[in-house]
Amino acid sequence: MPKKRINLNKIKKVYFVGMGGIGLSALAKMMLQQNKLVVGADISSSATSKEIANLGAKVYSHHKGVNVTKDVDCLIYSSAVPINNPERQMARKFNLPCFSYTEFLGELSKEKFTIAISGTNGKSTVTSMLGLVLVKGKLDPTVIVGSQIFSWQSNFRQGNSNYFLVEACEYKANMLNLYPNIIVLTNIEADHLDFYKDINHIVRVFQTYINNLPKNGILILNSDDYYLSKLKIARQVITYGIKNKSDVMAKNIKTGNGWQEFDLCTDNQSNKIRIKVPGRFNIYNCLATIATALYFNIDKKIIIKTLTNFNGIWRRFERVGERDKAIIISDYAHHPTSIESTIASTKEFYPNKRIFVIFQPHHHNRTKKLFNEFKQSCLGADFLIIPEIYNVTGREQSKHKISSVDLVKAIKQVQPDKNVFYAKDLKIAKQLTLKNIKKNDIVLIMGAGDIDDLARDLVK
């Protein structure tokens, strides 16, 4: 195989394996906007893969070696694609440069002033908030985010400046492939335990990550997070928080019906901010955005106005519509902390409403290793449906003998009178929902699998 270094300006044709993924689709859009030929495959036809095809890409619905031709300049693949994939095998036969998604991001980051948003939770929201603020602040960044930003109708924005804003995922330590100038850290929690040994392993990898910052690099972090406090910091640091003294702080937090308000405190100055997204976690997301934007000397009025107008992003507390006067909300939450805080925030945001939760566990390994945490996280729901665990291809489900039935039984043991039901698939989950929802319910549909399909189906 050739050395993994490539002149991006000389790329004329790119092949993508897993074209419909949220990350690869952003890179495909980037290549198309740069007038490159884009070809790829994805076995699941999705709105994203159809969008890429409509933009001019050739998208195959099957993975075959013959799809990859000798005139391809490089092949980019999703981390979910195994090494024995026929397209990857053909690329090796032709001696083509091959990159995982984050390896290619790393190549891009070498050429740009890169701002990487990392942490267990909040990455997509912070990347989206900050992207909007940087645009309003005339920095004109290129942005890649793991969601759809509503005002752009995309997960990608092509900028004309040297600034590159990217969501940097910790799965398989993928963020180590990047070369950021600024790292924003939201938090560290136990997750992806099919790769990491334990929380200490995760902290060590994040330590390596921040150690790789250049000497003039900037670290922006949540000063309230326990595991972030374990990191040894030898770079310039900007802190944000609510509890501990920080450079950027939120005080006097208030919550109303459909809004949150707080005092933004920086440099002995105070400004009031009202936002339309729920949860203490979203206040932290705002603070991370503000701390970064202030580093670039963006006018505070622009920052506040942009955050006030922020309506969320795809699958992050997204109000998708109504069914029989019940509000349907789709959310990507799939980690116990996110689930618990999202349910609690929904109760704050919609006081005196029944919170009807449909949660689809994601990944057997995660469900088994964080079982007690998942059990606890669901207790705040007033009515609960748990479909069978979403099967993630290639993540060794067979070793973990666990089912959503086990989770339902465990919750019943803690709260015997709770309305909690198991659904073997989304069809049964829909039937249970239609049978039990009431007028004015808040139907909160959560998970990282295909559970979003149910949310869209309910509001058709």
Side-chain angles (χ1 to χ4, degrees):
M1 288 296 293
K3 186 178 179 181
K4 284 192 174 180
R5 192 67 199 267
I6 194 164
N7 186 333
L8 300 176
N9 295 321
K10 291 186 177 180
I11 293 177
K12 294 180 179 179
K13 185 174 182 180
V14 189
Y15 194 94
F16 290 90
V17 187
M19 177 83 83
I22 196 70
L24 258 63
S25 64
L27 285 181
K29 291 174 187 177
M30 172 184 279
M31 296 296 107
L32 287 166
Q33 286 202 20
Q34 295 178 6
N35 297 316
K36 302 181 192 300
L37 293 174
V38 172
V39 185
D42 204 300
I43 56 175
S44 58
S45 177
S46 65
T48 304
S49 58
K50 290 175 183 176
E51 177 191 8
I52 299 299
N54 290 336
L55 290 172
K58 170 69 175 177
V59 183
Y60 295 104
S61 59
H62 49 264
H63 293 298
K64 290 185 177 180
V66 293
N67 296 343
V68 181
T69 52
K70 289 184 178 180
D71 60 339
V72 170
D73 294 304
C74 74
L75 179 141
I76 307 172
Y77 58 91
S78 163
S79 60
V81 174
I83 194 169
N84 61 353
N85 168 269
E87 289 141 318
R88 290 184 64 182
Q89 289 182 328
M90 184 63 74
R92 286 195 295 276
K93 181 179 178 180
F94 290 148
N95 208 32
L96 300 177
C98 295
F99 300 85
S100 71
Y101 165 65
T102 51
E103 285 172 345
F104 197 82
L105 285 185
E107 291 298 306
L108 295 174
S109 69
K110 292 174 185 176
E111 311 295 328
K112 298 277 191 178
F113 185 99
T114 299
I115 308 152
I117 312 299
S118 304
T120 308
N121 301 308
K123 294 183 293 293
S124 295
T125 301
V126 174
T127 307
S128 302
M129 285 179 169
L130 184 57
L132 293 167
V133 170
L134 294 180
V135 170
K136 292 293 184 182
K138 308 297 184 185
L139 270 67
D140 195 14
T142 294
V143 183
I144 290 180
V145 60
S147 184
Q148 297 279 345
I149 300 178
F150 294 138
S151 55
W152 298 344
Q153 290 296 300
S154 182
N155 54 346
F156 169 72
R157 179 190 187 273
Q158 179 65 60
N160 294 308
S161 73
N162 194 42
Y163 293 114
F164 181 40
L165 173 63
V166 62
E167 181 176 334
C169 182
E170 73 280 7
Y171 176 58
K172 290 186 176 180
N174 281 328
M175 71 281 198
L176 297 181
N177 289 306
L178 300 179
Y179 297 84
N181 302 88
I182 295 177
I183 292 174
V184 180
L185 288 184
T186 60
N187 72 330
I188 295 177
E189 291 190 82
D191 197 10
H192 302 301
L193 296 175
D194 56 329
F195 173 79
Y196 295 105
K197 296 176 183 177
D198 52 30
I199 186 65
N200 295 322
H201 184 198
I202 298 172
V203 172
R204 289 197 301 272
V205 171
F206 270 95
Q207 183 68 62
T208 301
Y209 180 45
I210 65 171
N211 288 349
N212 289 340
L213 270 171
K215 289 184 178 180
N216 62 347
I218 307 296
L219 178 62
I220 299 172
L221 60 78
N222 176 356
S223 65
D224 293 342
D225 186 76
Y226 174 77
Y227 288 108
L228 290 183
S229 70
K230 301 293 184 183
L231 298 175
K232 296 180 178 66
I233 299 168
R235 300 290 186 273
Q236 182 181 341
V237 62
I238 300 171
T239 58
Y240 65 89
I242 297 172
K243 302 171 187 175
N244 296 322
K245 183 172 176 56
S246 308
D247 298 310
V248 177
M249 297 195 70
K251 297 182 179 179
N252 303 318
I253 298 169
K254 298 177 183 177
T255 303
N257 194 349
W259 55 265
Q260 293 189 95
E261 189 176 79
F262 62 92
D263 292 333
L264 169 64
C265 301
T266 58
D267 297 327
N268 298 317
Q269 293 182 340
S270 179
N271 301 84
K272 198 167 289 295
I273 298 183
R274 178 173 283 202
I275 58 175
K276 295 180 281 188
V277 286
R280 189 64 57 95
F281 54 90
N282 269 319
I283 294 179
Y284 279 110
N285 293 337
C286 284
L287 294 177
T289 300
I290 294 164
T292 312
L294 290 176
Y295 171 78
F296 288 105
N297 296 314
I298 296 176
D299 190 296
K300 202 178 288 185
K301 291 180 181 178
I302 291 174
I303 300 170
I304 292 172
K305 183 177 180 181
T306 305
L307 293 176
T308 298
N309 293 331
F310 182 73
N311 288 313
I313 53 179
W314 176 71
R315 295 230 58 219
R316 302 315 191 269
F317 207 78
E318 179 191 354
R319 180 169 170 165
V320 297
E322 294 187 6
R323 178 68 182 245
D324 300 329
K325 295 187 177 180
I327 296 172
I328 311 297
I329 294 170
S330 180
D331 195 276
Y332 189 69
H334 58 282
H335 185 276
T337 302
S338 298
I339 294 159
E340 186 170 14
S341 58
T342 301
I343 293 172
S345 302
T346 306
K347 288 189 169 185
E348 284 185 357
F349 228 50
Y350 294 103
N352 306 315
K353 300 276 190 179
R354 189 173 76 144
I355 309 303
F356 189 115
V357 173
I358 309 168
F359 165 58
Q360 179 192 52
H362 183 262
H363 194 305
H364 291 72
N365 181 291
R366 178 186 284 121
T367 307
K368 187 174 184 66
K369 291 189 176 179
L370 298 176
F371 185 84
N372 289 329
E373 290 86 346
F374 276 116
K375 177 185 69 176
Q376 184 66 35
S377 71
C378 294
L379 297 180
D382 298 315
F383 193 102
L384 179 63
I385 298 171
I386 305 182
E388 189 49 81
I389 300 167
Y390 181 77
N391 188 60
V392 183
T393 304
R395 298 277 285 270
E396 298 182 332
Q397 278 23 288
S398 60
K399 295 197 308 186
H400 305 284
K401 303 299 182 183
I402 191 166
S403 164
S404 291
V405 171
D406 302 310
L407 200 51
V408 169
K409 289 178 179 178
I411 293 169
K412 275 288 195 183
Q413 287 179 346
V414 178
Q415 295 180 337
D417 297 328
K418 177 179 283 292
N419 286 312
V420 53
F421 298 92
Y422 165 76
K424 70 176 183 178
D425 54 35
L426 296 188
K427 181 179 179 181
I428 301 300
K430 181 181 178 181
Q431 293 172 357
L432 285 168
T433 302
L434 295 178
K435 181 179 178 180
N436 290 285
I437 58 170
K438 299 177 181 178
K439 178 182 176 181
N440 296 324
D441 276 353
I442 306 299
V443 181
L444 185 56
I445 298 176
M446 293 188 290
D450 58 358
I451 189 69
D452 182 61
D453 295 343
L454 174 59
R456 312 289 158 177
D457 191 31
L458 286 172
V459 300
K460 280 182 180 178

